[in-house]
Amino acid sequence: MPPTPFSDLAELCATLEATTKQKEKTRLLAAFLRRLEPGEIAPAVLLIVGFIFPEFDPRTLEVGWRTMRRVLEGGRQTTLTEEPLTILRVHRTLEEIAEASGPGSRRLKEGLLEGLISRAGPREAEVLVRIIFGEMRIGVSEGVMMEGIAEAAGAAPSLVRRALMLTGDLGEVARTALTEGEEGLRRVGVRMFVPLKPMLAAMAYDIGEVIEVHGGRTAFEYKFDGARIQIHRRGDRVRVYSRRLSDVTESLPDIVDLVLRRISSDDVILEGEAVAIGEGGRPLPFQDLMRRFTRVHDVAEMAERIPLRLHLFDVLYLDRRLLIDEPYEERWRLLEAVSPGDLLAERIVTGDPAEAEVFLRRAIEAGHEGLMAKRLDSRYTPGLRGKRWFKIKPAETLDLVIVAADWGYGRRTGWLSNYHLAARDGDEFRVIGKTFKGLTDEEFEWMTRRLQGLKVRETPQTVYVRPEVVVEVAFNEIQRSPHYRSGFALRFARVTRIRRDKGPGDADTLDRVRELYEKQFRYKARMA
Ligand code: AMP
């Protein structure tokens, strides 16, 4: 069979976008997948869900919007002799773009991109742009794709889901399903040194409610203010993976050493949180921890300056046995059996909200974020967010003034959607962060109109406005910023409410920001 043209995939995407019925989407996907050559299956599946690489793959394209615009403006110059784009060619070229590095790589990336766009029809170009900017949005989630794969292969959806949980690689799972059927899917096991997707938690604000949802009794653990790691050990070989599934082993020799010395099993996958420790054994802010995780030179010296503490909270595999279908309580029991107590997460099991409140205070006073609540009989569901795990943290908010906004692209084209947030400083307003998170489509529209009415000047990307609109902004942490003149930056800012009831004079001040920043150190250490 000749290779499948990329235009077929683009057409499928357009049809899928126009289809609202789940069943119809599944049918369309299945019919398409069945037509593909084995080698085309994985790339096609990834591209349709809007990915280029599986999630654990660290490669990224690093193509900016500006570059893209330049290329798009260059336009289409197809000559009749040129071969049409194929799915494989597109995927291969995107890989080449990601792999281009070092001097001259920008030119190279741009050239490769030009090559693609100039050979693409309008529909193909549109799909390419969406894929490149992670804005596919044709209503084909991983879940819908899994249904499509199951139908195409005549396999049970549960087997497809299980294989995906274990490998984290949708494309590979599709290839296995279509070429080896249910039998092939059953053969998929945990692969040592291939990280599983981490189980995620839903947000909760009320401890009593959490206990109720968990059936009257639940396990509370500290929610450590650190970075999640998954540790694979077989024999003397240890690898450590980040939450995003990238291999961070080289930056964490102290963790490797700890696992070799103190964990009693040599065939195990553990999960836990690594926390950077400062004076008095108190956790350092996340910013300092990240310096450990990104370090590849002089690692030993850095390990000495910023020591880590490990808090283990799960075991996913032990002595040839996958444990994700075991209940949490049983996994905890096994974890206790392989790990010394001082490496385990602080935890209590209770049905008493008052006891849990006391435990929450202790977590905060120890410099951590809050609590996790874990249902005692729950399985470990990689990659899924649900009510089996809750995260509970007291959120901080600030009322801030919007002083400028950037035009959105992709789905937010036409809206002023990235807001520059400022705190009051005497008569001035000082930016301490930006966010495009938290608003509904209607609110984006309202905000765009409102801000244009307040415009004082503009550049092609940004509209600067009179400071009038106040928004309530939640965030996880205040960091020191060399970038903003205010000296501070919010981490994970998101708008929680538009405060139409407030004027700029009611906004929080930079002094308040400074005060909250300092307060973070009541229970945290500072870098020397
Ligand atoms: P989220 O990733 O937003 O679902 O929030 C959960 C995150 O909290 C995890 O990714 C971990 O990095 C972190 N965390 C801290 N302490 C724990 C704990 N005891 N159990 C699970 N996750 C924890």
Side-chain angles (χ1 to χ4, degrees):
M1 263 201 303
T4 311
F6 184 65
S7 58
D8 287 10
L9 188 147
E11 200 163 307
L12 172 75
C13 290
T15 315
L16 286 165
E17 189 173 17
T19 311
T20 48
K21 296 201 184 71
Q22 291 295 70
K23 274 227 156 63
E24 182 59 12
K25 282 192 202 272
T26 309
R27 197 190 60 74
L28 287 164
L29 284 167
F32 186 80
L33 295 181
R34 275 197 219 104
R35 279 176 32 211
L36 300 175
E37 287 290 317
E40 296 173 333
I41 298 171
V45 161
L46 289 172
L47 294 175
I48 294 168
V49 293
F51 295 154
I52 298 161
F53 305 112
E55 218 178 318
F56 57 82
D57 193 315
R59 287 176 291 178
T60 53
L61 290 191
E62 277 163 42
V63 171
W65 182 244
R66 228 175 280 169
T67 307
M68 183 52 116
R69 191 146 50 193
R70 218 171 22 243
V71 170
L72 287 173
E73 276 159 11
R76 184 176 151 75
Q77 306 123 9
T78 313
T79 57
L80 286 173
T81 52
E82 219 154 11
E83 303 264 319
L85 285 172
T86 63
I87 293 177
L88 283 176
R89 185 70 253 157
V90 167
H91 194 260
R92 184 66 214 126
T93 307
L94 292 172
E95 282 181 319
E96 283 165 10
I97 293 175
E99 283 157 12
S101 69
S105 64
R106 273 170 71 103
R107 265 307 319 154
L108 184 55
K109 282 177 197 280
E110 203 170 318
L112 287 163
L113 199 59
E114 254 159 26
L116 274 184
I117 295 290
S118 69
R119 288 168 62 192
R123 183 168 276 171
E124 293 162 85
E126 154 136 25
V127 169
L128 275 172
V129 171
R130 290 198 196 187
I131 292 170
I132 288 168
F133 290 102
E135 298 261 359
M136 196 59 168
R137 292 178 205 273
I138 52 167
V140 180
S141 61
E142 245 182 29
V144 173
M145 181 54 93
M146 279 195 284
E147 293 289 329
I149 294 168
E151 185 166 321
S158 60
L159 279 176
V160 176
R161 175 172 293 279
R162 178 180 166 281
L164 179 64
M165 281 180 176
L166 294 175
T167 61
D169 189 341
L170 192 62
E172 243 337 270
V173 168
R175 201 194 49 75
T176 305
L178 277 131
T179 58
E180 299 168 43
E182 288 202 340
E183 211 169 294
L185 289 173
R186 277 203 198 88
R187 273 197 301 270
V188 172
V190 231
R191 278 182 282 163
M192 216 41 172
F193 307 114
V194 176
L196 281 82
K197 287 197 194 188
M199 176 162 173
L200 305 173
M203 192 64 143
Y205 299 94
D206 187 301
I207 284 185
E209 223 171 274
V210 164
I211 293 177
E212 208 178 296
V213 174
H214 282 184
R217 237 173 107 70
T218 194
F220 290 98
E221 299 170 4
Y222 278 12
K223 186 179 193 310
F224 299 97
D225 191 7
R228 187 169 188 163
I229 51 177
Q230 196 181 110
I231 304 163
H232 292 220
R233 173 177 177 188
R234 175 159 289 165
D236 284 342
R237 175 153 186 238
V238 175
R239 305 299 304 177
V240 186
Y241 304 93
S242 73
R243 184 177 192 280
R244 310 282 312 276
L245 311 184
S246 43
D247 189 326
V248 288
T249 316
E250 300 315 322
S251 309
L252 308 175
D254 38 352
I255 297 286
V256 172
D257 182 57
L258 194 65
V259 168
L260 287 174
R261 279 189 299 111
R262 307 212 46 218
I263 297 299
S264 63
S265 166
D266 67 355
D267 187 31
V268 68
I269 299 179
L270 299 163
E271 204 178 25
E273 191 87 350
V275 177
I277 295 295
E279 9 89 43
R282 294 199 170 273
L284 288 164
F286 190 76
Q287 216 171 2
D288 298 318
L289 173 66
M290 278 303 103
R291 291 162 57 192
R292 278 298 312 270
F293 269 71
T294 50
R295 192 72 169 207
V296 283
H297 303 295
D298 306 320
V299 173
E301 183 216 330
M302 200 60 167
E304 203 157 302
R305 272 188 61 206
I306 307 182
L308 299 181
R309 244 197 97 172
L310 178 60
H311 303 271
L312 295 171
F313 54 74
D314 224 317
V315 53
L316 310 182
Y317 168 96
L318 180 62
D319 298 331
R320 311 252 138 212
R321 199 155 72 91
L322 184 62
L323 301 175
I324 61 173
D325 289 329
E326 299 295 325
Y328 164 82
E329 269 299 67
E330 174 63 8
R331 297 199 311 275
W332 185 271
R333 202 183 60 72
L334 293 167
L335 180 62
E336 275 180 318
V338 297
S339 164
D342 63 308
L343 295 187
L344 295 180
E346 272 86 344
R347 102 174 180 146
I348 58 169
V349 175
T350 183
D352 177 7
E355 196 186 336
E357 289 287 354
V358 172
F359 194 57
L360 172 61
R361 279 250 60 81
R362 261 181 50 201
I364 300 292
E365 283 166 21
H368 295 295
E369 271 182 58
L371 297 180
M372 300 289 295
K374 298 184 178 175
R375 199 182 161 104
L376 297 172
D377 60 4
S378 61
R379 292 185 300 146
Y380 189 97
T381 49
L384 298 186
R385 191 182 300 284
K387 297 183 171 171
R388 301 181 191 93
W389 285 14
F390 281 112
K391 47 187 167 183
I392 304 166
K393 43 183 173 178
E396 292 277 15
T397 62
L398 283 167
D399 289 331
L400 300 172
V401 184
I402 296 177
V403 294
D406 305 328
W407 289 106
Y409 52 82
R411 203 180 75 84
R412 292 182 293 273
T413 302
W415 289 335
L416 285 169
S417 59
N418 193 26
Y419 307 113
H420 304 212
L421 308 163
R424 207 150 46 84
D425 184 22
D427 292 338
E428 308 274 319
F429 288 90
R430 304 247 180 249
V431 174
I432 60 170
K434 289 185 199 174
T435 190
F436 54 84
K437 297 219 168 85
L439 296 194
T440 64
D441 289 2
E442 288 75 44
E443 286 172 324
F444 274 133
E445 255 158 42
W446 179 87
M447 192 67 97
T448 303
R449 261 183 285 121
R450 179 91 175 91
L451 293 178
Q452 277 182 300
L454 298 170
K455 175 165 37 179
V456 288
R457 66 189 171 88
E458 66 187 321
T459 65
Q461 281 92 35
T462 308
V463 172
Y464 294 83
V465 299
R466 262 202 330 272
E468 290 281 340
V469 180
V470 179
V471 285
E472 181 186 85
V473 176
F475 55 91
N476 287 29
E477 191 182 343
I478 302 174
Q479 302 183 325
R480 272 282 176 204
S481 166
H483 175 63
Y484 291 129
R485 290 224 334 256
S486 66
F488 296 101
L490 299 181
R491 190 163 155 246
F492 292 135
R494 64 249 175 220
V495 175
T496 43
R497 260 190 302 167
I498 303 176
R499 297 296 308 246
R500 298 176 209 212
D501 55 327
K502 288 199 168 183
D506 305 316
D508 279 308
T509 59
L510 198 58
D511 282 341
R512 170 82 184 131
V513 175
R514 194 170 295 119
E515 199 179 294
L516 286 177
Y517 173 78
E518 288 298 326
K519 209 177 105 192
Q520 295 176 155
F521 290 98
R522 203 154 90 209
Y523 304 122
K524 272 195 204 302
R526 271 181 224 261
M527 272 306 282

